Amino acid sequence: MSLAQHVTANEGIDRVPPEGEEDGYEEILWRTLSYDVFPPGDSAGPIVSPEIILPTLAAYKVSSTRRAVQVGFAIVACWFAAGIVYGFSSLKPILIEEGVYADLCPLNDDPDDTRDGREKVPCAAQDMRLNLFFVAASITINTSSLIAGWALDRYGRRLCYTISGLFMIAGSVLMGLAFQIPAFDGYVLANVVLSLGGAFVFVPSFQLANAFPRHSGIVVALVTGAFDGSAAVFLLYRLAWEASGRSFAPARFFFAYTAVGALLLVGEYTLMPACAYHSTPELERKIERAQDATRDVHDSDEDLDSPRMIRRIRSRRAERRLSKLEQIEELVGDEAQREDRVQAEEERQAASGIWGVLHGVPAHRQMLTTWFLLLLLLTALQMLRMNYFIATIRAQYRYLLGSERLAENVNHFFDAALPIGGVFATPFIGLLLNNLSVATASAILTLFIALVGALNCVPQAWAGYATVAAFVLLRPLYYSAVSDFATKIFGFASFGRIYGALTCLSGLVNFAQSGLDALTHGPLRGDPTPVNAVMAVLGTGLAAALTAYVVVKGREFRLRMRKREDAERVQERLGLIREEREREAVEARYGSFRVDRQDHL
């Protein structure tokens, strides 16, 4: 799964400390999330906002109905394109039934072996090659999110949606041809292309949150839920395939699926905005200009002869200015509502316990910290573990339960639970991360990681269902937490580089999944327990280490911040005392001057 697929907010506040931590006053800036891994500017200097300026559109000039339809279109597009490759466990039985890579099996292997189940059981070589089909797509969607983020920030959402539509068409055609032409082995390539289509439609969709600034969190949650729901596409196809008596051939399905890419292109150029809507900082600047009454006065007014005409023209300008102000405030909220929103954001960040600990530090130095190293190691391991589970769940429980029928049941439960669990958990994850400290959230992750790891080693059917239930909650929680931790620890300004590095490096670690497959099918003779146990112990240890580090460093950071606040209060009192003394000195000199003057008179 791509890290970029779960973000908790598209805008937020950064703490910009003074150059010296012990003196000066910090600044709080409202920033828009950037996915650009290579932003312009000096990477060795202080973090600054990207300098590339793209055209933007005023949302208040577009009807709320049209904006709602645009958001709805983005959600539907993500549901049918963003993360369909993660429905691999639903598609895998169809691939096996269609004989994909069955030629890799030994000649003495029974191609119709179903054991005590209803579906064919693949040989080891076929199973590993099919898992590679998923691994390649998983690595691609993680690494390509860097390119998608770069393209979004540099060239805008329209180019990304266009690329996504073309990739979806190309991937569907390649997959259909691979099923239709036996000599054409295009399965892996087709899945990689489909994953590219998913990355280029999903990351840019978060920009649509600016269509409704006051409800941006809801839009982000809906888009995120659509990504989780997209894993159900192959599940629905598998159900249709079974209902048709397996006559609904994969080639027909994928050729028909080209309609998704085509509709994405049509919708982009007929319905969607040509450029991004104004962000909150841009709207704030427009509000400041609309509140400036001096803009009603122009130098050209001096050329007018009649004072009455001047008043009338200035009155019209004021009406237009105030009308624009009213439109903007209807979109983003009045001054009190905006202040409440900023206050709520500051309280949310303060509750984290570590907000701003590395804000303002250059990204290359952030990547050298223990914060980044622990997050990277844990994320790489969890991504490998989760994708390994998705790809091998049937094989794992076939061995653990000693029954193909029971393994099928667990697998089918997982196929439905994966998208449903992600969609169901999204709003609760937001509430959890917004109200708990990072240390507490990290401790909850540690418990989940330990629970999934322990249950996954128990050779009982109930444990299999419990593992699935815990897994489908842990997966969206973990990826959302990493995004949330990144903004709170490193800041919105360097998010693209930090998140890009986490995403790319963690994705590349997934190459090890093929090695784990070979280990399981080879020396371990199909037993997944040693691999699961080792990853469970390592994952729990790293998660516990991260939690302990957050607790210790968070306490040190809060102590340092309290000292700074105390020093600022002392400086403020000294400043007031100094002003009072200066005022007394001025009054004393003035009084002395009056006395001297009276004596002179």
Side-chain angles (χ1 to χ4, degrees):
M1 167 168 202
S2 173
L3 289 177
Q5 306 331 71
H6 278 79
V7 300
T8 55
N10 68 316
E11 292 180 339
I13 55 175
D14 273 2
R15 169 182 171 263
V16 182
E19 293 186 4
E21 277 284 349
E22 302 303 326
D23 51 21
Y25 294 91
E26 69 180 21
E27 185 179 4
I28 303 298
L29 294 180
W30 191 277
R31 297 188 190 273
T32 300
L33 193 68
S34 170
Y35 288 100
D36 194 347
V37 186
F38 310 105
D42 180 13
S43 61
I47 299 297
V48 296
S49 297
E51 297 175 356
I52 293 178
I53 306 298
L54 293 176
T56 52
L57 179 65
Y60 56 85
K61 294 182 179 180
V62 180
S63 70
S64 58
T65 301
R66 185 174 180 84
R67 283 183 278 123
V69 173
Q70 290 170 344
V71 171
F73 178 82
I75 293 171
V76 172
C78 291
W79 195 288
F80 284 95
I84 61 172
V85 296
Y86 289 102
F88 169 71
S89 63
S90 296
L91 183 64
K92 190 174 182 179
I94 301 176
L95 298 175
I96 295 171
E97 184 68 29
E98 293 292 323
V100 176
Y101 298 129
D103 58 311
L104 299 176
C105 296
L107 295 177
N108 59 351
D109 192 78
D110 182 5
D112 296 319
D113 179 22
T114 61
R115 301 185 188 178
D116 65 338
R118 295 163 298 177
E119 299 169 357
K120 292 181 182 179
V121 178
C123 67
Q126 182 185 15
D127 192 47
M128 287 190 290
R129 181 62 67 87
L130 289 173
N131 290 344
L132 179 63
F133 170 89
F134 170 70
V135 171
S138 175
I139 293 172
T140 301
I141 201 169
N142 279 283
T143 54
S144 64
S145 63
L146 277 72
I147 304 172
W150 173 83
L152 173 65
D153 283 359
R154 298 297 181 94
Y155 302 105
R157 186 198 51 76
R158 170 150 288 182
L159 175 65
C160 293
Y161 265 44
T162 302
I163 293 174
S164 174
L166 295 175
F167 274 136
M168 292 303 297
I169 293 173
S172 298
V173 169
L174 286 171
M175 193 73 81
L177 291 175
F179 280 104
Q180 196 171 57
I181 305 174
F184 176 56
D185 181 8
Y187 302 104
V188 174
L189 175 61
N191 212 30
V192 165
V193 174
L194 287 174
S195 69
L196 287 170
F200 274 89
V201 74
F202 191 80
V203 174
S205 294
F206 286 111
Q207 273 194 353
L208 272 299
N210 290 331
F212 297 95
R214 284 192 291 177
H215 309 291
S216 60
I218 296 176
V219 176
V220 169
L222 289 172
V223 173
T224 301
F227 173 85
D228 292 314
S230 64
V233 168
F234 287 152
L235 169 62
L236 296 176
Y237 167 57
R238 195 199 76 206
L239 295 175
W241 176 72
E242 291 175 346
S244 68
R246 303 185 178 184
S247 63
F248 186 13
R252 286 175 55 198
F253 169 76
F254 282 105
F255 282 137
Y257 212 73
T258 57
V260 171
L263 290 174
L264 183 59
L265 293 174
V266 171
E268 173 57 37
Y269 288 93
T270 59
L271 174 66
M272 302 299 280
C275 51
Y277 287 119
H278 289 146
S279 64
T280 296
E282 290 174 315
L283 290 171
E284 287 289 348
R285 289 193 292 270
K286 283 186 169 291
I287 288 174
E288 290 178 3
R289 295 182 64 188
Q291 290 174 334
D292 185 5
T294 62
R295 295 175 57 82
D296 300 336
V297 180
H298 294 182
D299 293 339
S300 60
D301 293 347
E302 298 178 359
D303 298 333
L304 300 175
D305 298 330
S306 170
R308 184 177 180 181
M309 183 176 293
I310 293 176
R311 286 194 300 271
R312 185 168 63 252
I313 291 176
R314 290 179 178 176
S315 176
R316 290 175 181 172
R317 292 172 185 157
E319 289 177 2
R320 289 195 298 268
R321 177 175 55 81
L322 294 176
S323 176
K324 182 178 180 179
L325 176 61
E326 184 179 354
Q327 288 179 308
I328 298 174
E329 290 191 332
E330 184 180 353
L331 176 71
V332 77
D334 58 27
E335 185 175 359
Q337 291 172 324
R338 297 196 304 275
E339 289 179 356
D340 289 344
R341 182 185 176 192
V342 173
Q343 181 66 27
E345 181 69 12
E346 290 179 354
E347 291 175 356
R348 183 179 78 87
Q349 301 294 13
S352 72
I354 59 168
W355 172 71
V357 64
L358 291 179
H359 288 196
V361 178
H364 71 285
R365 286 174 50 196
Q366 290 178 339
M367 293 181 192
L368 298 177
T369 62
T370 306
W371 293 100
F372 180 80
L373 180 62
L374 286 173
L375 269 179
L376 175 62
L377 291 176
L378 181 59
T379 300
L381 180 63
Q382 288 308 303
M383 187 181 294
L384 175 63
R385 173 178 170 74
M386 291 179 186
N387 289 339
Y388 175 73
F389 185 80
I390 291 173
T392 63
I393 180 172
R394 177 76 66 92
Q396 286 195 39
Y397 284 100
R398 181 185 302 124
Y399 182 92
L400 291 173
L401 303 180
S403 167
E404 178 63 21
R405 179 179 58 82
L406 294 177
E408 283 180 12
N409 293 338
V410 173
N411 195 163
H412 291 168
F413 174 66
F414 174 75
D415 292 342
L418 185 64
I420 293 173
V423 173
F424 172 79
T426 295
F428 298 100
I429 290 172
L431 290 174
L432 184 148
L433 295 176
N434 287 342
N435 293 282
L436 297 182
S437 67
V438 171
T440 304
S442 182
I444 292 174
L445 283 176
T446 303
L447 292 176
F448 261 101
I449 290 170
L451 178 64
V452 171
L455 290 172
N456 197 198
C457 295
V458 178
Q460 298 290 330
W462 66 265
Y465 291 108
T467 301
V468 169
F471 178 89
V472 298
L473 295 178
L474 170 62
R475 181 172 174 262
L477 172 61
Y478 184 81
Y479 288 116
S480 296
V482 171
S483 167
D484 186 66
F485 293 177
T487 57
K488 290 174 178 175
I489 296 171
F490 304 105
F492 281 82
S494 59
F495 182 86
R497 282 164 286 185
I498 295 298
Y499 218 47
L502 284 172
T503 301
C504 183
L505 295 175
S506 298
L508 292 175
V509 170
N510 274 265
F511 278 116
Q513 187 174 328
S514 296
L516 295 179
D517 270 348
L519 177 65
T520 304
H521 283 290
L524 298 180
R525 299 182 181 277
D527 184 3
T529 305
V531 173
N532 288 335
V534 169
M535 288 199 290
V537 171
L538 290 177
T540 304
L542 283 172
L546 176 62
T547 303
Y549 189 79
V550 169
V551 171
V552 173
K553 290 299 180 179
R555 187 180 298 120
E556 293 177 359
F557 176 69
R558 291 191 296 274
L559 179 61
R560 188 167 72 249
M561 292 301 295
R562 280 196 294 270
K563 289 182 177 179
R564 282 198 59 221
E565 290 172 358
D566 292 341
E568 288 176 1
R569 282 194 290 268
V570 170
Q571 291 295 327
E572 186 176 354
R573 285 197 297 270
L574 290 176
L576 292 174
I577 293 172
R578 186 161 50 248
E579 291 177 2
E580 180 65 24
R581 288 178 177 176
E582 290 175 354
R583 185 167 58 254
E584 291 175 353
V586 170
E587 291 176 353
R589 286 196 298 272
Y590 179 69
S592 175
F593 172 76
R594 291 184 62 186
V595 170
D596 290 345
R597 185 174 181 184
Q598 289 174 358
D599 291 343
H600 178 73
L601 293 173

